[in-house]
């Protein structure tokens, strides 16, 4: 994510506001072209997010928690090293959120991100950092959209950064060619000290807001819509780099089998988007969004036309009359850069003995890897709620459930179309006791489950809790003490079904029984 800051934040914003005309001796086209060709640099970075919060009484508890978490969020990076050619990056600094301050170091290559954090005993690996919930795509799956989600996830994993940079360069170049200068743009000569070095160049200052912002936006896309050559050149690059992935996603598959048809399809789609953003319909949301927005930038471009310093403030306000909830927000970003295109070697962190971020969702692992009294533990457990678990079991009639093939039928014609029904299944017994599979319940809540076929005994265990259940017995042993379950565990097709309320509550989970949904499913939640 840090690799993209230089290209997307600096170049795109400078292009959008500075336009393509030289001003005060500063040729921004050349500066932008240099930025897109930059292969390496070192930098310091800070980001601060602040909300304008009104009456929050109407917000849900989770919404209030999110506001408290992000309001005042700060990221301070004292050492950022980027090598785009080698597709590597490292950063060292601290993160402040929800009144917690957390020092960290991170390194990334094209395959993985490795993180060390104060309070963690081991490095943490985020293997697919482009599609991980911490750094990129986050998505809650349902049985209806998981097919498209996995196609999109596969596409992102195969989205090579080198190819992405080429498409980015072409897109920004198209914008640069078609943008007018902002009326508030000013350029002065300036000398600044960066990392102990005296830097001379031009200071670029502008402050764009309200109607001027919306007007610039609309003028830009009008020019882009009329730039057939630029759109076609962009379409060719997109097709050549990504047509297998676009075809894989299922977007007009037959078009992407032919280069001429494929580029025409990309060109037509890009032109349609530009025309829409220029139209009255597109202008409506543009007016509503951008008329309440403000962008203020102060940047230093040195004499060799390299962006060396960057101060930006992006603010948005809700339309007049909105007094409740979040009424607006402001993001402030500052970056100083040096050693541009020099011999930059990011500080790569070894993944030896590291743990995957996903594995920290198991509370046993979390407590073993992260010190429970640390700010990082509080961030993961209380703010990000990484150990939080939601389970759904679909309620069948007991007779229907008895007719579902067992695990031995998986992969055969007898196996159900939605095999999850065969596993995440629940039923209500004649004495009104709700049953679910003990293995699915225990493992779903993050516990280790073992089965002794000889004694027909199941053990659900963590470092703090152990529950032993036996088929046909209405008594369970919990941490060495016998407790009445209220109804016996039942063995069906080699799967032990257990009374859900008793077992879930012993494991620290809660059962949802309210509402119409409880007629069809049992929802289990563990904080």
């Amino acid at each position: 994510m840090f690799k993209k800051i230089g290209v997307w934040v600096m170049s795109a914003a400078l292009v959008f506001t500075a336009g393509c005309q030289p001003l005060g001796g500063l040729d921004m086209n050349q500066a932008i072209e240099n930025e897109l060709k930059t292969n390496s640099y070192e930098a310091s970075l800070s980001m601060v997010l602040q909300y304008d919060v009104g009456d929050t009484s109407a917000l849900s508890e989770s919404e209030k928690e999110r506001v408290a978490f992000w309001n005042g969020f700060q990221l301070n990076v004292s050492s950022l090293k980027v090598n785009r050619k080698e597709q590597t990056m490292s950063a060292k600094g601290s993160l402040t959120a929800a009144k917690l301050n957390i020092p960290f170091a991170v390194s990334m290559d094209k395959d993985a991100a490795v993180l060390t954090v104060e309070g963690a005993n081991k490095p943490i690996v985020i293997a697919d950092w482009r599609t991980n919930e911490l750094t990129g795509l986050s998505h809650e799956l349902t049985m209806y959209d998981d097919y498209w989600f996995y196609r999109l996830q596969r596409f992102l994993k195969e989205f090579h950064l080198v190819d992405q940079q080429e498409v980015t360069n072409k897109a920004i170049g198209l914008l640069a060619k078609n943008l007018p200068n902002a009326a508030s743009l000013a350029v002065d000569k300036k000398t600044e000290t960066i990392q102990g070095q005296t830097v001379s160049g031009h200071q670029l200052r502008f402050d764009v807001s309200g109607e001027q912002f919306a007007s610039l936006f609309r003028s830009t896309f009008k020019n882009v819509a009329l730039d057939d050559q630029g759109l076609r050149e962009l379409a060719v690059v997109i097709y050549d780099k990504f047509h297998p992935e676009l075809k894989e996603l299922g977007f007009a598959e037959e078009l992407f089998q032919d280069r001429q048809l494929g580029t025409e399809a990309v060109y037509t789609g890009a032109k349609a988007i530009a025309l829409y953003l220029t139209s009255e319909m597109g202008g409506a949301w543009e007016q509503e969004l951008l008329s309440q927005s403000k962008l203020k930038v102060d940047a230093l471009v040195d004499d060799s036309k390299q962006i060396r310093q960057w101060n930006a403030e992006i603010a948005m306000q809700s339309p007049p009359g909105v007094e409740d909830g979040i009424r607006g927000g402001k993001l402030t970003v500052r970056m100083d850069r040096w050693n541009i295109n020099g011999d930059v070697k990011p500080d790569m962190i070894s993944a030896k003995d590291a743990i995957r971020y996903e594995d920290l969702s198991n509370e046993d692992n979390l407590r073993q890897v992260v010190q429970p009294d640390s700010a990082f533990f509080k961030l993961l457990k209380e703010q990000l709620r990484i150990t939080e678990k939601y389970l759904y079991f679909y309620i069948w009639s007991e007779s229907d459930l008895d007719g579902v093939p067992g695990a031995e039928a998986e992969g055969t014609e007898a196996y159900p179309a939605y095999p999850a029904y065969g596993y995440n299944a629940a039923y209500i017994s004649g004495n009104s006791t709700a049953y679910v599979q003990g293995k699915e319940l225990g493992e779903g809540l993050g516990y280790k489950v073992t089965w002794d076929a000889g004694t027909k005994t199941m053990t659900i265990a963590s470092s703090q809790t152990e529950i032993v259940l036996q088929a046909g017995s209405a008594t369970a042993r919990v941490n060495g003490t016998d407790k009445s379950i209220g109804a016996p565990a039942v063995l069906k097709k080699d799967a032990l079904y257990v009374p859900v309320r008793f077992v879930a509550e012993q494991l620290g989970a809660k059962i949802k029984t309210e509402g119409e949904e409880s007629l069809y499913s049992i929802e289990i939640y563990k904080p």
Side-chain angles (χ1 to χ4, degrees), residues 99-114:
K99 299 181 180 180
L100 300 171
N101 183 264
I102 303 169
F104 71 91
V106 63
S107 67
M108 292 183 186
D109 59 22
K110 59 186 176 67
D111 298 318
V114 185

Side-chain angles (χ1 to χ4, degrees), residues 406-418:
E408 73 282 352
E410 185 171 1
T412 69
E413 292 183 3
Y415 204 68
Y418 292 98

Side-chain angles (χ1 to χ4, degrees), residues 114-344:
V114 185
L115 179 71
T116 59
V117 185
E118 184 177 278
N121 304 322
K122 294 182 178 182
I124 299 165
V125 172
I126 304 172
D128 298 319
W129 59 267
R130 280 169 287 174
T131 56
N132 186 275
E133 63 180 4
L134 276 183
T135 58
L137 180 66
S138 178
H139 183 87
E140 183 175 346
L141 297 179
T142 72
M143 72 177 77
Y144 301 106
D145 62 10
D146 57 355
Y147 171 78
W148 292 106
F149 170 72
Y150 283 119
R151 280 185 170 231
L152 179 59
Q153 188 178 56
R154 178 178 172 184
F155 168 71
L156 288 173
K157 288 179 182 179
E158 296 174 356
F159 195 79
H160 304 297
L161 294 180
V162 173
D163 295 336
Q164 174 190 353
Q165 185 173 341
E166 186 169 342
V167 173
T168 297
N169 292 357
K170 181 63 71 174
I172 289 180
L174 177 63
L175 286 174
K177 186 171 65 170
N178 288 285
L179 269 160
N181 286 339
S184 60
L185 185 64
V187 174
D188 301 300
K189 291 289 291 182
K190 186 179 182 182
T191 298
E192 187 69 72
T193 300
I194 299 176
Q195 196 65 13
Q197 179 186 10
T198 300
V199 178
S200 298
H202 290 84
Q203 180 187 37
L204 175 73
R205 294 177 288 107
F206 51 81
D207 190 339
V208 185
S209 60
E211 296 296 329
Q212 187 186 15
F213 211 153
S215 176
L216 275 172
F217 186 90
R218 198 163 186 178
S219 297
T220 298
F221 284 97
K222 176 182 178 180
N223 292 342
V224 169
L226 297 174
D227 186 354
D228 281 342
Q229 181 180 348
L231 284 171
R232 289 191 182 280
E233 290 175 355
L234 176 62
V236 168
V237 173
I238 292 175
Y239 179 86
D240 286 346
K241 297 299 180 184
F242 302 119
H243 73 273
E245 288 82 3
L246 293 170
K247 179 181 174 182
E248 175 70 19
L249 280 172
F251 295 147
E253 181 177 335
E254 65 281 0
L255 294 179
F256 292 98
Q257 294 175 350
D258 181 278
R259 187 172 187 267
Q260 187 175 7
L261 288 176
T263 54
E264 191 67 22
V266 175
Y267 159 78
T268 302
K271 191 176 186 72
I273 292 172
L275 287 170
Y276 173 78
L277 294 174
T278 307
S279 69
E280 185 175 344
M281 288 182 62
W285 74 262
E286 159 200 317
Q287 183 73 22
E288 180 178 346
L289 176 67
L290 297 179
S291 63
Q292 303 299 321
S293 302
K294 180 178 181 180
L295 175 61
K296 184 176 181 180
V297 172
D298 179 343
L300 176 64
V301 181
D302 68 16
D303 290 333
S304 61
K305 304 297 186 295
Q306 295 285 357
I307 302 171
R308 300 295 301 275
Q309 194 175 76
W310 174 260
N311 293 280
E313 181 182 298
I314 305 168
M316 295 186 67
Q317 286 293 129
S318 298
V322 177
E323 302 297 333
D324 298 336
I326 299 175
R327 298 180 296 195
K330 179 174 68 175
L331 174 65
T332 304
V333 181
R334 176 184 172 88
M335 177 183 277
D336 288 354
R337 301 202 307 174
W338 59 92
N339 199 15
I340 296 176
N341 288 325
D343 184 19
V344 177

